[in-house]
Amino acid sequence: MATEVVTGFRRDAPSGPEVIVMIKAMNSHDADARPAVDGSHDVVVVGAGAAGLNAALLLGRARRKVVVIDAGEPRNAPAAHMHGFLSRDGLPPATLLELGRAEIARYGVRLVRGRVAEIDHGFSVRLEGGPVLGARRVLVATGLRDELPDIPGVRERWGKDVLHCPYCHGYEVGDQPLAVLGTHPGAVHQALLLRQWSDDVVFLSHTLDLTAEDRERLEGRGLRIVEGEIDHLVVERGRLRGIELAGGRVLPRTAAFLFPRMVPHDELLTRLGCAKDDSGWIAADRTGRTSVPGVWAAGNVIDPRAQVVTAAGMGSAAAFAVNADLVDEDVRHAVEQRRASAAASR
């Protein structure tokens, strides 16, 4: 039996606005009865993180027919809380998404659980094992994935006490003994930043070949450099307690930072022929408009530095631009029809 997740929003709950999540059962006959092409939408939004949901919210309020495709794999799922988002600081990431799904439902935006297999240039959006959605415009907000180094313990503690962004997590581990793992060239800048939050920061060179300038900057900033490859993280009672180097030396630490390799989920955009910039990321203007007419992108899929609040803003900017583009098209068609009618009546 197939299931469909339906979100709602109850305003009059005793404890305040409340998200309602319902699971609607559909038998296989109902699922198979779906049409080959599921209607014509003004916009199909691929990705239901902060960027995609905020875009859908604005477009729904603009009375556009919008559907959001949600694969259910948010990048920040391992984190217990998110920070730096005005009025939402400290909120669990999953709660933000629940609230967002409920809000878009209030404006008639459909949410479809699934993964997009292909988008053609006529904007038929085909889901894996599901319907084909027709769209006038497409907004891709599929985010990125963090590729982690193969160090035992890192993946298990990722988002807990093995962290990435000092702005997202530095305050919570302030004044603790911290480590920065030398697994990526970006780790040097990361370590220089972290010195703001703690006087006890060690830089583990691991496999990173530090330049003389790197060493001078790190030591000048008051960081201690520890040579040697990392063997594994020492975890006791579900918490990071230290980092063991090859040879057995253990450095007591309560939190560690590393710079992951960030890989955008941009396959759909690449297949559409969207141009890339010099760094290999999809090129887009300030509104998220790509080189392919009718295709926008927002969030981490085009900007690895975007935090949750930034991604939400990018979704908003894209929504304004997409709607303006649709208005231009609507007006053009209306004028053409008016001229045709006037010519026919002569």
Side-chain angles (χ1 to χ4, degrees), residues 145-151 154-159 162 164 183 258-261:
R145 70 178 183 274
D146 294 310
E147 290 192 350
L148 303 176
D150 188 20
I151 298 174
V154 163
R155 189 168 299 279
E156 293 77 7
R157 302 308 302 164
W158 182 242
V162 176
H164 162 232
T183 59
L258 65 83
F259 202 107
R261 179 172 177 261

Side-chain angles (χ1 to χ4, degrees), residues 19 86 109 117 160 163 171-172 182 243 276 281 304 324:
V19 175
L86 188 64
V109 176
K160 301 175 179 68
L163 309 164
Y171 189 88
E172 283 61 46
I243 299 171
K276 294 190 175 185
W281 290 68

Side-chain angles (χ1 to χ4, degrees), residues 199-322:
D199 294 334
D200 185 2
V201 183
V202 297
F203 187 93
L204 305 180
S205 64
H206 189 50
T207 57
L208 193 62
D209 187 15
L210 293 174
T211 66
E213 182 183 1
D214 288 336
R215 292 178 180 277
E216 184 178 41
R217 295 176 72 209
L218 290 167
E219 291 172 347
R221 182 75 161 145
L223 284 83
R224 182 160 54 102
I225 300 173
V226 176
E227 308 289 352
E229 291 193 21
I230 300 166
D231 187 78
H232 67 276
L233 304 188
V234 179
V235 179
E236 297 175 358
R237 297 180 181 178
R239 298 192 65 179
L240 179 68
R241 297 301 181 190
I243 299 171
E244 183 166 331
L245 304 179
R249 180 186 177 188
V250 176
L251 293 171
R253 301 284 102 178
T254 57
F257 283 75
L258 65 83
F259 202 107
R261 179 172 177 261
M262 302 178 197
V263 181
H265 291 298
D266 62 2
E267 297 85 0
L268 295 173
L269 294 166
T270 300
R271 290 180 206 147
L272 281 168
C274 297
K276 294 190 175 185
D277 59 23
D278 293 340
S279 62
W281 290 68
I282 295 295
D285 68 11
R286 293 177 61 186
T287 71
R289 188 192 302 263
T290 72
S291 63
V292 175
V295 178
W296 271 258
N300 282 149
V301 71
I302 56 173
D303 185 354
R305 300 164 298 177
Q307 293 182 298
V308 178
V309 66
T310 315
M314 294 170 73
S316 177
F320 275 97
V322 169

